[in-house]
């Protein structure tokens, strides 16, 4: 069966339009992604992700595209609009709602993005996409850290984080990164609008094993749910399914350690990574 490129949806956003026009001009020039990558001195994989709006076009690419296709500044004019859209279309609706929520409740198997240090975020994103360019990773880290502004703002919403114990045990990056991340968790947990719990290994297999669940309580007390796997996410707004997600979350909350005991477990993890960091420094 002949290869079929992924369909594009230029009508969805400026970011999608940028990618669609990139493919349109590329195909009109009779160039494959590999050939265009050679012309631009650019990664084929990165170009592919830009075409499908998975990655933002980096600075400097638009000028190269206009020069290669003779498009008289078309991509340079489109770039500022595309650059405003930090997240792919499938996440954008969720991000918009999260920015409005009065209460965010989440379960994750890794340190939640709102709680990550820049170094941890960089290591996690690099591990999740080992073929991405440094610029792609830096863009994603900057977008992730920007989302933390509301958590630390003057009038923040309420946050309730449940993290799996594996988030404290599986290293992301080196022991220094994990040490600083554990300390950051303890610092954030001291905020009055934040509740942090650890779901211990003893809780066993549960409804969200292998994924994550977020509940957003909006104005008027309406609630939406968001479930995410390693490569995709689903926004749930149907009342009946949202109610089930709330029940799942309540069970996780009941099985998790108390906030006080959770902080003790994080403190123990911190000491372990501090010891590991000292050992490495002494070698």
């Amino acid at each position: 069966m002949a290869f079929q490129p992924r369909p594009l949806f230029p009508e969805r956003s400026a970011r999608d339009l940028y990618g669609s026009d990139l493919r349109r001009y590329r195909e009109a020039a009779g160039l494959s992604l590999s050939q265009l990558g050679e012309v631009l001195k650019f990664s084929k994989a990165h170009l592919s992700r830009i075409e499908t709006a998975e990655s933002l076009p980096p600075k400097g690419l638009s000028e190269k595209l206009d020069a290669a296709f003779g498009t008289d500044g078309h991509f340079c004019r489109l770039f500022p609009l595309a650059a405003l859209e930090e997240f792919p279309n499938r996440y954008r609706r969720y991000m918009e709602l999260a920015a409005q929520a009065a209460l965010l409740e989440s379960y994750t198997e890794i340190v939640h993005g709102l709680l990550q240090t820049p170094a941890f975020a960089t290591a996690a994103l690099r591990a999740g996409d080992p073929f991405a360019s440094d610029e792609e990773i830096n863009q994603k880290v900057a977008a992730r850290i920007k989302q933390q502004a509301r958590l630390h703002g003057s009038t923040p919403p309420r946050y309730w984080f449940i993290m799996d114990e594996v988030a404290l045990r599986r290293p992301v990056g080196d022991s220094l990164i994990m040490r600083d991340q554990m300390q950051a968790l303890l610092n954030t947990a001291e905020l009055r609008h934040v509740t942090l719990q650890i779901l211990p290994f003893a809780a066993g297999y549960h409804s969200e094993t292998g994924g994550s669940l977020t509940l957003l309580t909006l104005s008027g007390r309406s609630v939406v749910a968001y479930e995410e796997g390693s490569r995709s996410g689903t926004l749930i707004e149907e009342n009946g399914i949202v109610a089930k997600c709330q029940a799942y979350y309540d069970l996780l909350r009941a099985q998790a350690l108390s906030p006080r005991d959770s902080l003790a477990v994080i403190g123990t993890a911190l000491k372990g990574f501090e010891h590991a960091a000292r050992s490495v420094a002494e070698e």
Side-chain angles (χ1 to χ4, degrees), residues 4 34 56 178 184 221 238 245 247:
Q4 295 294 324
S34 295
L56 277 173
M178 291 300 294
R221 306 301 297 173
E238 184 179 335
C245 291

Side-chain angles (χ1 to χ4, degrees), residues 5-149:
R6 287 177 56 182
L8 305 182
F9 304 93
E11 72 283 355
R12 290 196 305 200
S13 68
R15 181 169 171 162
D16 286 275
L17 178 60
Y18 190 106
S20 178
D21 277 5
L22 170 54
R23 178 182 291 181
R24 180 164 62 88
Y25 281 106
R26 175 179 64 78
E27 292 180 341
L31 296 173
S32 66
L33 281 167
S34 295
Q35 291 168 331
L36 180 59
E38 291 177 4
V39 170
L40 302 177
K41 306 302 181 186
F42 208 80
S43 160
K44 170 190 172 182
H46 196 175
L47 285 174
S48 177
R49 289 191 289 270
I50 292 170
E51 280 196 0
T52 56
E54 291 298 306
S55 291
L56 277 173
K59 293 180 180 178
L61 176 63
S62 301
E63 290 81 356
K64 292 182 178 181
L65 290 174
D66 283 326
F69 297 137
T71 42
D72 190 29
H74 171 73
F75 287 98
C76 284
R77 290 188 294 272
L78 190 54
F79 172 74
L81 296 176
L84 294 174
E85 300 165 351
E86 296 172 308
F87 297 93
N89 185 71
R90 67 176 183 274
Y91 299 122
R92 202 165 300 135
R93 172 66 174 159
Y94 164 73
M95 299 306 300
E96 291 171 352
L97 293 174
Q100 305 167 23
L103 169 64
L104 183 149
E105 301 166 287
S106 76
Y107 163 79
T108 54
E109 289 190 342
I110 188 173
V111 175
H112 195 287
L114 292 174
L115 305 176
Q116 293 178 8
T117 66
F120 185 97
T122 300
L125 288 165
R126 169 57 65 196
D129 193 353
F131 305 115
S133 68
D134 289 342
E135 185 159 7
E136 284 182 282
I137 297 299
N138 291 339
Q139 287 176 342
K140 291 179 180 179
V141 170
R144 181 165 295 184
I145 299 305
K146 183 179 178 181
Q147 294 303 311
Q148 298 177 5

Side-chain angles (χ1 to χ4, degrees), residues 119-272:
F120 185 97
T122 300
L125 288 165
R126 169 57 65 196
D129 193 353
F131 305 115
S133 68
D134 289 342
E135 185 159 7
E136 284 182 282
I137 297 299
N138 291 339
Q139 287 176 342
K140 291 179 180 179
V141 170
R144 181 165 295 184
I145 299 305
K146 183 179 178 181
Q147 294 303 311
Q148 298 177 5
R150 194 165 184 239
L151 171 65
H152 299 285
S154 58
T155 56
R158 282 277 297 125
Y159 293 91
W160 195 302
F161 299 101
I162 301 175
M163 290 189 338
D164 199 283
E165 186 177 354
V166 71
L168 311 180
R169 308 301 181 192
R170 177 175 292 146
V172 175
D174 58 27
S175 54
L176 286 173
I177 290 175
M178 291 300 294
R179 179 200 67 186
D180 292 346
Q181 181 60 72
M182 296 302 105
Q183 184 61 61
L185 290 177
L186 292 175
N187 294 344
T188 303
E190 292 180 356
L191 300 174
R192 286 181 294 179
H193 59 282
V194 173
T195 300
L196 177 59
Q197 290 182 276
I198 299 300
L199 185 71
F201 291 135
Y205 199 90
H206 54 81
S207 63
E208 305 310 313
T209 299
S212 68
L213 172 63
T214 299
L215 300 171
L216 302 175
T217 301
L218 308 173
S219 59
R221 306 301 297 173
S222 62
V223 180
V224 299
Y226 183 73
E227 291 186 323
E228 188 171 17
S230 61
R231 293 291 183 270
S232 63
T234 302
L235 184 67
I236 302 169
E237 300 183 74
E238 184 179 335
N239 290 339
I241 302 178
V242 170
K244 285 186 177 180
C245 291
Q246 289 177 289
Y248 297 152
Y249 193 83
D250 286 341
L251 285 174
L252 293 177
R253 187 167 13 225
Q255 293 173 302
L257 300 176
S258 70
R260 181 176 179 178
D261 289 345
S262 296
L263 293 185
V265 171
I266 297 171
T268 299
L270 170 60
K271 291 179 181 177

Side-chain angles (χ1 to χ4, degrees), residues 268-279:
T268 299
L270 170 60
K271 291 179 181 177
F273 288 117
E274 285 178 334
H275 176 75
R278 285 196 298 270
S279 298

